[in-house]
Amino acid sequence: MTGIYLLLGTNLGNKTKNLEKVIELLVANRVAIRRESSIYETAAWGIEDQPSFLNQVIEIETSRTPEKLLELLQQIESNMGRVKKIKWGERLIDIDILYFGDTIVDQEKLKIPHPEIQNRRFTLEPMVEIIPELVHPVLSLSQSEMLRACEDKLEVKHYEPVI
């Protein structure tokens, strides 16, 4: 299935390498990468007293169900060394399913579309970069429309690596 969008985030370790490693592990697990946004440097959301994040949105293609994809993503996070300590805390890697085509899932451990897309500039900026016209299947708003209405004022900027 196509039209599956993931948000990658990291604020510990070698952040650019962490993002590269996720993509490498997805491909190794037969997940096709269709598009990648630029990498964005973003202020921490939720708990702001922590290092800034690097975030990126990727579009993937897979034959997995949403539940099986979630299992794979959690396995990748674990294999990369993610330890869940506190909600919105520092993390080596975080992989969220944003959209799974037009599929709507409302389970305790899996909600698609991700319930916070419209509230997070660090998600909307890269989404607008790669597919501004994509319409949220519940809110019936495009990514561009949600970004214009987003009240999140935390800084989101294109990442420029220090050489």
Side-chain angles (χ1 to χ4, degrees):
M1 177 170 191
T2 59
I4 303 167
Y5 294 88
L6 306 179
L7 176 68
L8 315 179
T10 176
N11 75 336
L12 295 176
N14 186 328
K15 297 185 265 191
T16 54
K17 291 273 190 233
N18 293 343
L19 297 176
E20 291 169 4
K21 184 72 174 171
V22 170
I23 292 172
E24 183 182 302
L25 291 170
L26 286 167
V27 170
N29 281 279
R30 300 181 324 276
V31 173
I33 309 299
R34 293 293 173 227
R35 278 193 274 194
E36 299 178 33
S37 75
S38 301
I39 296 173
Y40 290 80
E41 185 171 11
T42 66
W45 191 93
I47 298 175
E48 297 176 23
D49 184 23
Q50 59 180 309
S52 65
F53 277 79
L54 291 187
N55 287 296
Q56 182 178 33
V57 167
I58 60 173
E59 180 185 9
I60 65 166
E61 183 176 341
T62 183
S63 59
R64 289 175 173 82
T65 64
E67 295 79 10
K68 290 294 183 188
L69 177 60
L70 178 63
E71 285 178 23
L72 173 64
L73 300 179
Q74 290 174 336
Q75 179 184 22
I76 288 172
E77 288 176 340
S78 178
N79 289 348
M80 287 183 64
R82 177 171 180 186
V83 178
K84 294 185 180 185
K85 295 178 184 172
I86 58 170
K87 187 173 184 173
W88 301 322
E90 296 177 337
R91 63 202 70 170
L92 189 67
I93 194 65
D94 186 36
I95 312 168
D96 290 333
I97 302 172
L98 299 174
Y99 295 101
F100 199 97
D102 288 334
T103 302
I104 297 171
V105 178
D106 189 8
Q107 301 170 3
E108 184 179 336
K109 295 188 179 203
L110 180 61
K111 300 199 182 305
I112 302 173
H114 191 288
E116 294 294 329
I117 293 169
Q118 68 278 5
N119 299 320
R120 295 178 175 173
R121 185 167 299 282
F122 67 86
T123 301
L124 290 167
E125 291 276 356
M127 281 298 297
V128 166
E129 176 190 332
I130 62 174
I131 189 156
E133 72 281 0
L134 178 72
V135 174
H136 191 291
V138 175
L139 302 177
S140 299
L141 295 170
S142 72
Q143 304 307 290
S144 293
E145 290 169 324
M146 288 190 295
L147 179 58
R148 281 193 297 276
C150 184
E151 295 182 9
D152 177 7
K153 300 303 179 204
L154 291 177
E155 183 177 27
V156 176
K157 61 185 179 184
H158 277 89
Y159 175 64
E160 300 295 334
V162 178
I163 299 174

